[in-house]
Amino acid sequence: MRIVVAVLLIAPFVAYLAVPSYARVKPRLAGFPFFYWWQLLWVIITGVFIGIAYLLTRPRGDAPASDPANEGGE
């Protein structure tokens, strides 16, 4: 599971650094050059990947997380 989470978090970083692969004007989408809409698409993909990574790493419902505010047993 950790490998999947690592890939989900590293993939957008690698995609953003691969500028030569998307540093072009065509194809255009709704008048926007490829460079701009590809970056915007990766912003959305990054949010989805981070959300999935969060869901994969959060504590399960059967193992409640400790609540520091309720340590007094109240």
Side-chain angles (χ1 to χ4, degrees):
M1 173 124 40
R2 288 183 181 186
I3 293 173
V4 173
V5 171
V7 168
L8 287 171
L9 296 176
I10 292 172
F13 179 72
V14 172
Y16 290 135
L17 289 180
V19 175
S21 69
Y22 62 87
R24 57 182 185 260
V25 175
K26 292 184 180 179
R28 290 181 175 268
L29 181 66
F32 288 99
F34 181 77
F35 181 81
Y36 293 113
W37 66 261
W38 184 252
Q39 284 184 333
L40 180 61
L41 177 65
W42 269 100
V43 168
I44 295 166
I45 292 171
T46 299
V48 170
F49 281 7
I50 290 173
I52 293 170
Y54 167 75
L55 291 174
L56 290 174
T57 58
R58 72 179 182 171
R60 302 286 184 238
D62 57 349
S66 62
D67 185 8
N70 196 15
E71 287 183 6
E74 297 175 28

